[in-house]
Amino acid sequence: MPVFISHRTVDNSIALQVANRLKNQHGITIYLDDIDQRLKSSSPQELTRLLVKAINECTNLIAVITTHTEGSWWVPFEIGVAKQAPRVICSMTNQADDALPEYLLEWPRLRGEKAIDEFAKIYKLQHSNLTEGVLEKRAAATVQLSITDGFHRALKAKLGQ
């Protein structure tokens, strides 16, 4: 399942760096709205529907959080949609923790390529467990919640958070 990368248009270059590192260095499939041609000619209602569908098809969301994110409606919306199901949520940020909204401190904050690499390692471990049929053997929601919480704990520990 892909990693959804949420960002504000002004932060396209950061989102592309994250996407390219995950895709090219780690072979991880990503979803980036800038490359989804269906969104280009969508009405606001259709755009919302397509983004929600894309988020629901992903197991992980990385939100690019910079000083430009303040004033964005889409990034917090996408985080909220992702939060509705047990889903790994992380932020890619260049801001100090005390400059971030409190709700973002719940999840790991990625800073730099090494943090993206740690994310990728744990992502691959998460997905190897999924492909071995763990979800089919137990209640899917309970297992996904456990995997999500474990992912967050493991990545925060690796990042010293």
Side-chain angles (χ1 to χ4, degrees), residues 4 9 15 25 27 32 47 63 75-76 89 105 115 126 135 156 159:
F4 187 100
T9 303
Q25 296 290 325
L32 193 59
L47 175 65
V75 173
I89 300 172
L105 300 180
Q126 172 195 25
L135 290 181
K156 281 180 130 179
L159 299 175

Side-chain angles (χ1 to χ4, degrees), residues 2-7 19 28-39 47 50-51 53-55 57-58 60 62 78:
V3 173
F4 187 100
I5 301 175
S6 174
H7 68 290
I28 295 173
T29 305
I30 55 93
Y31 177 88
L32 193 59
D33 61 3
D34 290 348
I35 59 176
D36 188 342
Q37 295 302 313
R38 299 173 302 166
L39 302 181
L47 175 65
L50 290 170
L51 287 173
K53 183 178 185 298
I55 292 167
E57 292 172 351
C58 295
N60 302 63
I62 296 176
E78 292 166 348

Side-chain angles (χ1 to χ4, degrees), residues 17-18 21-22 25-26 62 91-93 108-123 151 154-161:
Q17 287 173 348
V18 172
R21 183 131 191 120
L22 290 173
Q25 296 290 325
H26 299 286
I62 296 176
S91 59
M92 177 69 188
T93 187
R109 280 92 53 213
L110 308 176
R111 293 184 176 92
E113 291 179 343
K114 283 186 176 184
I116 295 170
D117 295 342
E118 291 297 337
F119 170 92
K121 286 178 196 173
I122 298 171
Y123 173 91
F151 189 109
L155 186 55
K156 281 180 130 179
K158 288 280 188 182
L159 299 175
Q161 299 171 1

Side-chain angles (χ1 to χ4, degrees), residues 75-88:
V75 173
F77 171 77
E78 292 166 348
I79 293 169
V81 170
K83 178 68 173 149
Q84 293 300 305
R87 188 169 283 112
V88 171

Side-chain angles (χ1 to χ4, degrees), residues 12 15 48-49 57 70 89 91 94 99 104 111 120 125 129-132 138-139 145-148 155-156 159-160:
N12 276 349
T48 301
R49 188 187 70 70
E57 292 172 351
E70 190 173 327
I89 300 172
S91 59
N94 57 4
L104 288 178
R111 293 184 176 92
L125 180 61
N129 288 338
L130 292 176
T131 57
E132 290 172 6
R138 300 189 202 151
L145 181 58
S146 174
I147 290 170
T148 300
L155 186 55
K156 281 180 130 179
L159 299 175

